[in-house]
Amino acid sequence: MNDPRIAQLNLPPGMIDFGVGQPSPALLPLALLRTAAANRLDGKDAAFLAYGAEQGDGYFRAALAGLLSEHYRLAVEADQLFVTAGASMGLDLLCTLFARPGDTIFVEEPSYFLALRIFADHHLKIISLPMDAGGLIIEALEEKLSRHRPVFLYTIPTFHNPSSYTLGADRRELLVELSRKNNFLIVADEVYHLLNYAASPPPPPLASYIEADTVLSLGSFSKIMAPGLRLGWIQGGAQLLKRVTRCGLLDSGGGLNPFTSGVMRSAIEMGLQRDQLKILKTTYAKRKSALSKALKIYLPDSVRYSEPEGGFFIWLVFPEGVDTEKMRAEARRKNVGYLPGIKFSSGRKLKNCARLSFSYFDVPELEEGARRLGLVIKEHMKGY
Ligand SMILES: Cc1ncc(COP(=O)(O)O)c(C=O)c1O
């Protein structure tokens, strides 16, 4: 259990809460970051303790560009990167700079529930677009474009939160083509792209299309190192990034997170980020397989889900009529938790869905949690 004075999460003892979508404390790399920080602090150059360059520390961006080039299998340049204090902050900044209250945006249904909170803060009008196992449905997007003019479309193209769906390569091409034709921005939240557990890689990230100058790609160290770093990036073409780097926030405070960028620069240059990513992928892949197997044993066949190839989540789809929000209270009494589908719907739908995360708990707890969840579901569904 985390200490609530210092951590956002405060789990009751004994509770196996599949709603928690963050790494377990044991996966937070204390020793690794101690080494990286010592490397940076032992140097003679204290520039990373000054107000930083607006676009972000150039040495860090060069190291990050190298890391992304390797994992995206794409030539990423340092000047295509803007340093953020995490993907959430990056998204909030893009709302500030590219949208006005009352503007229309498109989001997927389901979508990342906390992004919906950010859009609400900016008073944006949300139009939702359906997805299937191949990601956002392009025909539905075309239909909505005939009736609405969004300032941007927010998508999680790879290992989606909460559905784990991945947008197919052909659909990526079509999506970018539509953004050019119809003059809207694509805000691609690609924070899970590097967490791939399958033998073959996912389709190229939407970051591959930044030359179109209609795409901005959000990345984050929250999923591949530690959320407490509050460090991420936006990858984009020259015109769009210019609009980002010229904002008042940076004029006053300078570039974001120069200190943490300095530490992460060392972590990347010393090969420690690569090592950590390997550990995370191995651990999460094991957890994902264990939870999928346990669900197969304990859940009724009428609950559908597919085994994800990456990311943090398994998306459960119950028969119509099941209300996962209502069932949640029964689950809590049995010391198991999940997030109900309604949270991920901009129109308060998806009542028959639920998101499970396998990032926080270890294999035995995941198996026990699946067993408890199975009991709750079977009891709840007796009436159906
Ligand atoms: C799709 C998505 N975007 C953004 C975030 C938050 O990222 P960060 O910690 O970099 O703000 C999360 C974390 O759960 C996420 O799932």
Side-chain angles (χ1 to χ4, degrees):
M1 189 172 60
N2 283 319
D3 182 341
R5 289 168 301 180
I6 48 174
Q8 190 183 35
L9 178 68
N10 184 22
L11 270 181
M15 166 67 77
I16 299 173
D17 189 353
F18 290 120
V20 180
Q22 50 181 283
S24 25
L27 285 176
L28 297 175
L30 201 54
L32 184 159
L33 285 169
R34 191 178 297 128
T35 306
N39 175 267
R40 184 59 35 221
L41 291 165
D42 283 350
K44 296 229 175 328
D45 186 359
F48 71 109
L49 296 175
Y51 281 112
E54 284 82 350
Q55 195 170 341
D57 180 325
Y59 292 106
F60 164 64
R61 284 187 293 109
L64 176 59
L67 180 83
L68 293 177
S69 299
E70 183 184 325
H71 293 289
Y72 284 177
R73 293 179 302 157
L74 174 80
V76 176
E77 308 288 341
D79 62 8
Q80 299 169 342
L81 299 170
F82 166 78
V83 178
T84 67
S88 311
M89 185 266 156
L91 188 57
D92 190 78
L93 183 63
L94 295 183
C95 290
T96 301
L97 296 176
F98 292 94
R100 292 284 161 266
D103 278 350
T104 296
I105 61 162
F106 285 180
V107 306
E108 292 153 334
E109 172 89 347
S111 187
Y112 170 46
F113 69 118
L114 297 175
L116 298 177
R117 291 269 294 105
I118 294 173
F119 301 142
D121 285 347
H122 289 269
H123 308 285
L124 302 179
K125 189 173 157 228
I126 292 181
I127 305 278
S128 61
L129 303 169
M131 307 179 74
D132 60 20
L136 177 68
I137 299 173
I138 299 296
E139 292 75 19
L141 168 62
E142 284 177 312
E143 194 275 321
K144 293 275 197 238
L145 282 171
S146 68
R147 291 189 286 129
H148 303 279
R149 298 195 62 77
V151 284
F152 66 79
L153 179 153
Y154 171 72
T155 176
I156 308 158
T158 310
F159 313 135
H160 184 271
N161 180 1
S163 70
S164 278
Y165 299 151
T166 291
L167 187 69
D170 293 352
R171 291 193 193 183
R172 289 175 192 236
E173 297 270 344
L174 293 170
L175 173 60
V176 175
E177 214 175 285
L178 282 173
S179 75
R180 283 181 195 153
K181 251 200 234 156
N182 294 273
N183 200 24
F184 65 87
L185 191 63
I186 298 170
V187 176
D189 187 336
E190 311 212 80
V191 298
Y192 296 105
H193 193 95
L194 270 47
L195 290 178
N196 170 41
Y197 318 130
S200 52
L206 281 174
S208 326
Y209 297 93
I210 55 167
E211 291 315 318
D213 243 358
T214 58
V215 179
L216 288 170
S217 165
L218 297 167
S220 175
F221 283 95
S222 291
K223 311 297 169 190
I224 57 170
M225 184 57 79
L229 293 170
R230 305 313 305 139
L231 190 68
W233 64 92
I234 298 173
Q235 190 176 346
Q239 294 305 319
L240 286 174
L241 275 200
K242 206 181 279 172
R243 283 182 66 186
V244 176
T245 50
R246 285 189 179 162
C247 73
L249 173 73
L250 305 169
D251 243 0
S252 171
L256 300 162
N257 259 345
F259 178 82
T260 317
S261 303
V263 174
M264 274 312 299
R265 172 192 162 192
S266 288
I268 298 170
E269 288 176 352
M270 297 167 83
L272 302 174
Q273 172 64 80
R274 192 184 295 128
D275 297 347
Q276 179 66 5
L277 188 57
K278 261 192 208 141
I279 293 171
L280 292 178
K281 284 173 66 167
T282 311
T283 308
Y284 291 144
K286 268 191 206 138
R287 291 179 179 181
K288 182 255 321 175
S289 303
L291 181 59
S292 304
K293 248 187 227 151
L295 292 175
K296 204 166 263 165
I297 297 169
Y298 296 115
L299 262 52
D301 290 342
S302 58
V303 183
R304 287 178 294 116
Y305 62 91
S306 44
E307 188 165 341
E309 299 198 328
F312 279 3
F313 311 109
I314 294 182
W315 183 237
L316 303 180
V317 182
F318 294 77
E320 280 302 331
V322 173
D323 185 338
T324 56
E325 176 111 299
K326 275 195 191 141
M327 193 172 69
R328 205 173 170 206
E330 298 159 39
R332 293 222 160 252
R333 281 195 289 277
K334 293 227 159 35
N335 260 347
V336 61
Y338 58 82
L339 288 185
I342 197 169
K343 270 193 174 288
F344 303 90
S345 167
S346 52
R348 298 193 57 75
K349 295 185 184 137
L350 306 173
K351 286 187 178 168
N352 64 321
C353 302
R355 189 195 78 176
L356 309 182
S357 170
F358 49 82
S359 62
Y360 190 82
F361 293 98
D362 220 334
V363 169
E365 293 163 307
L366 292 170
E367 289 168 346
E368 170 58 14
R371 191 189 66 80
R372 291 180 197 173
L373 190 63
L375 292 175
V376 172
I377 292 173
K378 282 177 185 153
E379 182 63 29
H380 186 85
M381 283 179 61
K382 266 186 190 159
Y384 288 88

